[in-house]
Amino acid sequence: MTAMIRFAHSRMAWGVLALSALSLELAALYFQHVMQLEPCVMCIYQRLAVLGLLLAGIIGFLAPGIRTVRLLAASLWGFSASWGLRLAIELNDMQQNPSPFSTCSFLPDFPSWMPLHEWLPSVFMPTGMCTDIPWSFIGITMSQWMIVAFATYLLALLLYAMPILSKRRN
């Protein structure tokens, strides 16, 4: 168990989190700008959740030996992964069970003090419809892959916290 605790407190653990989130962000931009797949507003929100995971990884990477920093980074990790999972499930439901009463907006609902879609429209401006399914791989849609990704992040957080919690009990 001490090896797992050492890994949980290491820069490598946080680096893996940050690099995996960066990879998802780069994949999203590739799908959008190279493959010309238009992101919907729910996709943009999921992109923001992945940015939260990236930020959590960077924060944890900067000072993995400081308990407060680890707690802050792990909290952001948990919030971002659970919010992203909720969004991915909601988007998948919209796509699998389209309804005229269940639609998403055309513009993101960012706070007025942080209009990301105006500051960086090439990344945060939705141009697609939530009910469209523009891509799938082995019969699994992008929203379903994101459910897998966010659930994996939550499982990884549980595995990260387990040795720390079990150490605290002993």
Side-chain angles (χ1 to χ4, degrees), residues 117-151:
H117 62 294
E118 294 174 8
W119 293 347
L120 199 56
S122 63
V123 176
F124 295 110
M125 179 62 80
T127 53
M129 297 298 298
C130 291
T131 53
D132 293 345
I133 302 175
W135 180 87
S136 68
F137 178 66
I138 61 171
I140 302 172
T141 66
M142 192 174 303
S143 63
Q144 292 166 340
W145 280 115
M146 290 309 295
I147 290 171
V148 170
F150 286 120

Side-chain angles (χ1 to χ4, degrees), residues 14-15 17-19 22 51-64 69 73 76:
W14 294 104
L17 175 64
L19 286 176
L22 179 63
L51 280 175
L53 292 166
L54 175 61
L55 183 60
I58 291 169
I59 290 170
F61 186 84
L62 291 176
V69 172
L76 181 57

Side-chain angles (χ1 to χ4, degrees), residues 76-148:
L76 181 57
W77 179 355
F79 174 78
S80 297
S82 57
W83 182 53
L85 179 61
R86 186 184 64 78
L87 291 167
I89 290 170
E90 189 177 332
L91 178 58
N92 184 60
D93 184 53
M94 281 185 205
Q95 291 175 342
Q96 300 305 315
N97 306 304
S99 164
F101 305 108
S102 176
T103 61
C104 59
S105 81
F106 294 107
L107 288 175
D109 191 21
F110 293 129
S112 60
W113 51 268
M114 191 177 69
L116 295 174
H117 62 294
E118 294 174 8
W119 293 347
L120 199 56
S122 63
V123 176
F124 295 110
M125 179 62 80
T127 53
M129 297 298 298
C130 291
T131 53
D132 293 345
I133 302 175
W135 180 87
S136 68
F137 178 66
I138 61 171
I140 302 172
T141 66
M142 192 174 303
S143 63
Q144 292 166 340
W145 280 115
M146 290 309 295
I147 290 171
V148 170

Side-chain angles (χ1 to χ4, degrees), residues 152-166:
T152 301
Y153 279 117
L154 284 173
L155 178 62
L157 178 61
L158 179 65
L159 293 174
Y160 168 82
M162 198 178 328
I164 297 166
L165 295 174
S166 67

